[in-house]
């Protein structure tokens, strides 16, 4: 029998009505307007999950039947999401926002979410992480609403391998979405690929395809965030092994990180350019080369809870404040308190490590 992670939060600490209770403990916190934590990190990158639904069933993320549905009334509305984006940008120092899922294109009102968020936080960078299915039909409305960047998840360009990994034969639809994003001016377009043992041999072909099609590819080490709890460290593909496979076909020169908070380490691909600049391939080595000490992310789940860390199960409920009459200052106070308690890192190397209760599909990327 396979244990399936239902994607349920461990607990929510914030009140369901304004003025009820007090924020989490913040003793020792400096008088800082932003989302600072006890280790001196300041979160400026906001990830907002808008749904748990997805059009694919990637084996490293979701069970074959998908995650349990979140009742519609429990999801944040477009106006509630935009209000939080505005508070984050205006009061808490958030500089960029990415809408995730599940699959954000499963929200029929995604353009409204983006448009209201752009109005609430003028000039802020608004992006989505998507599998690209259906993007060709919606990209223009999203760009018109204020979308500035697109990241597409694509693990292989082998159609058979794609169908086996995602449990859906939809690779042509993903390619159509990528082409449409390019044509709409969403460049440079980034591709995210989770490194899997079954598709490791496809990695050079994926990089070649990305280079030939003007995309910037980033590989991601698989983390223990799958719903079926099948992750084993000995089965994951570490960054060094991937680099060895890619180096059989490409000359790679380590380039480091332009931004110390960026999760991806970059390698120049000798002899290639993208949009007139030297081409690079990135590797997000979340497991073997942890970058937790430089993490600058804060997350809001589709139900409106602040999650300070992918691997921390404590969540602070902002939806109750939004619907209970709290003003922006009170919501910001709770959000700051939630981030002050952020843990130091994911703890995968610690004895007794246990993955979070929620899976990646339920948390939001």
């Amino acid at each position: 029998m396979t244990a399936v992670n239902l994607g349920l939060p461990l607990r929510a600490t914030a009140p369901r009505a304004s003025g009820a209770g007090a924020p989490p403990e913040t003793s020792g916190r400096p008088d800082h307007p932003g989302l600072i934590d006890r280790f001196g990190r300041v979160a400026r990158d906001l990830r907002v999950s808008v749904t748990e639904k997805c059009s694919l069933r990637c084996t490293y993320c979701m069970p074959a039947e998908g995650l349990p549905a979140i009742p519609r009334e429990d999801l944040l509305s477009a106006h509630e999401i935009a209000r939080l984006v505005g508070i984050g940008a205006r009061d808490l120092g958030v500089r960029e926002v990415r809408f995730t899922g599940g699959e954000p294109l499963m929200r029929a009102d995604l353009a409204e979410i983006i448009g209201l968020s752009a109005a609430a936080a003028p000039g802020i960078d608004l992006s989505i992480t998507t599998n690209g299915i259906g993007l060709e039909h919606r990209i223009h409305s999203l760009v018109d609403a204020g979308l500035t960047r697109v990241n597409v998840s694509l693990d292989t360009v082998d159609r058979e391998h794609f169908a086996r990994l995602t449990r859906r034969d939809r690779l042509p639809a993903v390619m159509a979405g990528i082409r449409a994003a390019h044509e709409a001016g969403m460049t440079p377009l980034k591709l995210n690929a989770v490194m899997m043992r079954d598709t490791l041999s496809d990695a050079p072909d994926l990089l070649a395809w990305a280079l030939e099609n003007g995309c910037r590819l980033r590989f991601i080490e698989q983390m223990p965030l799958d719903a079926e709890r099948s992750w084993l460290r000995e089965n994951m593909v570490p960054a060094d092994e991937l680099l060895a496979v890619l180096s059989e076909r490409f000359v790679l020169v380590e380039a480091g990180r332009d931004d110390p908070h960026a999760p991806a380490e970059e390698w120049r691909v000798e002899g290639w350019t993208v949009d007139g600049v030297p081409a690079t391939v990135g590797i997000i080595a979340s497991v073997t080369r942890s970058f937790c000490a430089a993490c600058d992310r804060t997350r809001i789940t589709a139900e409106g809870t602040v999650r300070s860390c992918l691997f921390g199960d404590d969540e602070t409920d902002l939806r109750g404040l939004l619907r209970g009459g709290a003003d922006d200052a009170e919501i910001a106070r709770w959000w700051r308190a939630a981030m002050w308690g952020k843990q130091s890192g994911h703890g995968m190397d610690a004895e007794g490590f246990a993955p979070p209760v929620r899976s990646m599909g339920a948390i939001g990327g």
Side-chain angles (χ1 to χ4, degrees), residues 288-339:
T288 63
R289 303 180 186 180
S290 170
F291 46 85
C292 295
C295 180
D296 69 341
R297 291 182 183 170
T298 181
R299 289 179 168 82
I300 294 176
T301 68
E303 306 98 314
T305 60
V306 174
R307 194 175 178 101
S308 61
C309 175
L310 274 174
F311 289 87
D313 282 317
D314 288 349
E315 296 183 5
T316 296
D317 173 28
L318 300 185
R319 188 186 69 205
L321 295 169
L322 288 166
R323 298 179 183 179
D327 61 19
D328 289 359
E330 185 176 0
I331 292 170
R333 183 166 62 98
W334 279 86
W335 198 340
R336 291 188 190 102
M339 293 304 296

Side-chain angles (χ1 to χ4, degrees), residues 227-275:
E228 295 179 314
R229 300 298 181 109
S230 61
W231 183 91
L232 293 172
R233 186 163 187 148
E234 55 267 31
N235 289 343
M236 62 161 281
V237 179
D240 288 344
E241 184 176 355
L242 173 70
L243 284 169
V245 170
L246 295 177
S247 295
E248 293 174 2
R249 184 163 166 185
F250 299 94
V251 176
L252 304 178
V253 178
E254 188 169 1
R257 289 184 173 94
D258 290 335
D259 178 352
H261 299 292
E265 297 176 72
E266 301 284 342
W267 275 261
R268 284 199 316 277
V269 185
E270 294 291 276
W272 288 88
T273 60
V274 172
D275 295 329

Side-chain angles (χ1 to χ4, degrees), residues 103 105 110 128 130-143 147 150-152 173-174 176-182 184 186 189:
E103 168 52 51
L105 292 175
L110 182 59
I128 60 171
T130 173
N131 60 33
I133 296 174
L135 185 60
E136 61 179 312
H137 305 298
R138 302 183 64 186
I139 185 64
H140 294 294
S141 66
L142 299 178
V143 171
L147 185 70
V150 174
N151 284 23
V152 177
V174 176
I178 292 172
R179 287 194 300 272
H182 269 300
M186 293 286 98
L189 190 145

